[in-house]
Amino acid sequence: MSAGTATASPRQLAWARRHRAVTSFWKEYRRNRAGLFGLAVLALFVLSALLVPLLVGEDALSVTRPPGEPLQPPSGEFLLGTDRSGRSVLDLVLWGSRVSLTVGFAATFISIALGGLIGILAGHFHGWPSAVLLRITDWFLVMPTLVLAVALAAVLGRSMSTIIIAIGVTSWPTTARLVRAQTLAVEARPYIERARALGGGHWHVMTRHVLPNVMPIVLAQTTLMVAGAILTESTVAFLGLGDPTIPSWGSTIQAARDVGAVSSGMWWYILPPGIAIALVALAFTLCGRAIEGVLNPRLRTGK
C-alpha cells in the first residue's frame, strides 16, 4: 500500500472509486458506435432545448401577430415554411423539443421512482404486502397505458403537468416488475443473510444492499422510458388533449393534419416534427441499449 493511499480519507477513497467507475463506464460505452450516435443526437436536442429562448423569442410564436403568411413553403426567410397561423415551423419544432424533453424527463422520473419503490417493497416483503402490490402492478400492466393517460388527461384538464402525471402514473409497472426480480435475486445472496444476522433491519437492507444493486437496471430502464414518454406525450397532444397554448411536436402534427397537409403536399409542415420525434426516441433507445450492454457483463461478452 502506498503512502498516499494510507493517508487518504474515506471520502477521498470513495471519490477515487467513483472516478475509476465513471472512467471505466465511459471506456466501455464509447466502444458502442450506436450508443455514441444516440448520445450525439440527444446532446444536440438537449442543447437546442436549452438555447431556444435565446434563439427564438416567444413573440415569434404569437398567433395574433405571426411573422409570416399562413402555409408558406420553405424559403430563405422561413427554412421550413410556416404553419396555418404564419409562424415558422422551424421555431415550432425548436420550442417543441423543450416541451417534449421536459415531459419525457419529468414523467420518467415519476415512473421510475414509483416503479422502483414498489418493486423493491414487493421483492423485499413477502406474504400479503407483496401479493397486494403485485396485484396492483398486474392491473396497471394489462391496462393500455395510452388509454389511461388519455382518460387522466381528459379528467384532470389540458395542461403539461397533467400529461406528465398521466404518463408517470401509468407507465411504472414494467419497471416495478424488473426491480422486483432483481431484488429477489439480490436478497438470495449470502451476504444479505449475514447483514440480517448482524442486526440489519428492513431499511438497512433495502437502502444499503438492494438499492445499489438495482440501480444499474433502473438506469438502463430510465433511458428507454424517456423515449416511450415522449412518444406518449406526442400522441396525447396529437389527440388534442395537450395544452393548446404550448407548442409541442404532437400538437404541430395535429394542426398539420387539420389543414390537410398530407393531401396537399405540405411536407414541410408535417415531416419536421415527426422526424424530430423519431430521432429523439431512437437516440434514447440507442443510449439505453448501450448502457445496458455496459452494465450487463453477459451482454458485453456476447458482442
Side-chain angles (χ1 to χ4, degrees), residues 9 33 40 45 48 53 71 77 79 108 113 167 208 213 223 260 271 283 285:
S9 65
R33 294 183 179 180
F45 275 98
S48 65
L71 304 177
E77 183 180 3
L79 297 180
T108 298
I167 297 174
R208 295 298 182 89
N213 282 281
T223 56
L271 277 184
T285 302

Side-chain angles (χ1 to χ4, degrees), residues 5 23 83 127 131 146 185 192 198 204 206 248 260 284:
T5 305
T23 303
D83 70 343
L146 180 60
I192 298 295
L198 292 173
H204 175 84
M206 287 189 293
S248 67
F284 275 110

